[in-house]
Amino acid sequence: MLLCMPTDPGTPRRAPAGAAVLREDVTEAIRAAVFEELAAVGFARMSIEGIARRAGVGKTAVYRRWKSKLSLVLDLLSAFAAQGLPTPATGSLYGDVRALLEVVSHALRHPVASRVIPDLLVEAARQPEISDAIKSALLDTQRGVATLVVRDAIARGELPESTSPDRALDVIVGPLYWRLVVVRGDLPKGYLDELARSAVAALKA
């Protein structure tokens, strides 16, 4: 096992000769450009050239970080999944369900996400890699939150121990995805309150 000697604080640290130093601001500009390009033209028509032009960089800057547009999109989806969702802790099942609906609806109604997600779902039917990444970014993340919501509700005596987190997730956010991603309709005033009450009643039934 090799041990690294401590660096003299008075000596400037330099990258090894020939090493590629990737500027974080450029990387973030490219990531932002990908979302904008996806929203504007869709995955099928998206190109590295278009991403680079929108980010204000050369194609080489993109290729130094990702080998293709597919690897770029997969990386973004993985980063999104790693961020996770905040787990509600309101002290009641209704409060937790309502808080979860608020977070998910806010994300789905984002102007970019509302155009990107439907397009990627179409591509997922053609490319298994995208399907797996979407599953990790959306389903697995939200399933983890639903598991904690159900666990806490069981501990408070609000739900029976046999309650399935997967069924809870279907009941809670399924209608929201249908409304915002498939139908692409607006949410009437009080819709999330009504949906939260309906979901709680269905889970307790």
Side-chain angles (χ1 to χ4, degrees):
M1 178 177 180
L2 298 177
L3 298 178
C4 296
M5 297 298 293
T7 303
D8 182 352
T11 303
R13 300 184 64 180
R14 296 193 306 172
V21 180
L22 302 180
R23 288 173 47 187
E24 187 61 28
D25 60 328
V26 173
T27 301
E28 290 307 312
I30 294 172
R31 285 174 171 153
V34 172
F35 282 115
E36 294 171 3
E37 193 74 359
L38 276 172
V41 303
F43 180 83
R45 295 175 56 196
M46 185 178 74
S47 66
I48 295 297
E49 290 82 358
I51 293 169
R53 183 168 54 251
R54 193 178 290 272
V57 301
K59 290 191 297 182
T60 303
V62 181
Y63 281 118
R64 285 172 68 188
R65 292 161 172 82
W66 299 278
K67 63 182 180 180
S68 66
K69 69 177 185 179
L70 176 59
S71 62
L72 211 171
V73 170
L74 294 179
D75 177 65
L76 290 182
L77 288 173
S78 296
F80 177 80
Q83 292 177 3
L85 284 175
T87 302
T90 65
S92 73
L93 177 58
Y94 172 81
D96 288 352
V97 169
R98 180 62 178 78
L100 178 57
L101 287 172
E102 186 68 39
V103 171
V104 175
S105 68
H106 179 75
L108 293 178
R109 283 185 289 180
H110 188 282
V112 174
S114 65
R115 285 175 285 176
V116 169
I117 292 176
D119 181 69
L120 289 180
L121 289 175
V122 172
E123 290 300 324
R126 305 188 185 103
Q127 304 198 47
E129 299 97 328
I130 292 181
S131 177
D132 292 341
I134 289 178
K135 179 177 179 293
S136 175
L138 299 179
L139 177 59
D140 292 351
T141 299
Q142 293 175 19
R143 177 183 286 153
V145 174
T147 298
L148 295 176
V149 169
V150 169
R151 181 201 66 186
D152 291 347
I154 291 174
R156 290 190 297 262
E158 294 181 277
L159 290 177
E161 293 186 5
S162 59
T163 302
S164 165
D166 282 346
R167 176 176 177 270
L169 187 60
D170 290 345
V171 169
I172 297 169
V173 302
L176 202 54
Y177 273 86
W178 173 262
R179 182 105 187 190
L180 295 178
V181 178
V182 180
V183 178
R184 301 174 69 80
D186 295 330
L187 298 184
K189 183 178 180 180
Y191 177 82
L192 294 182
D193 296 329
E194 181 181 349
L195 183 56
R197 286 191 293 268
S198 299
V200 170
L203 291 173
K204 289 184 174 182

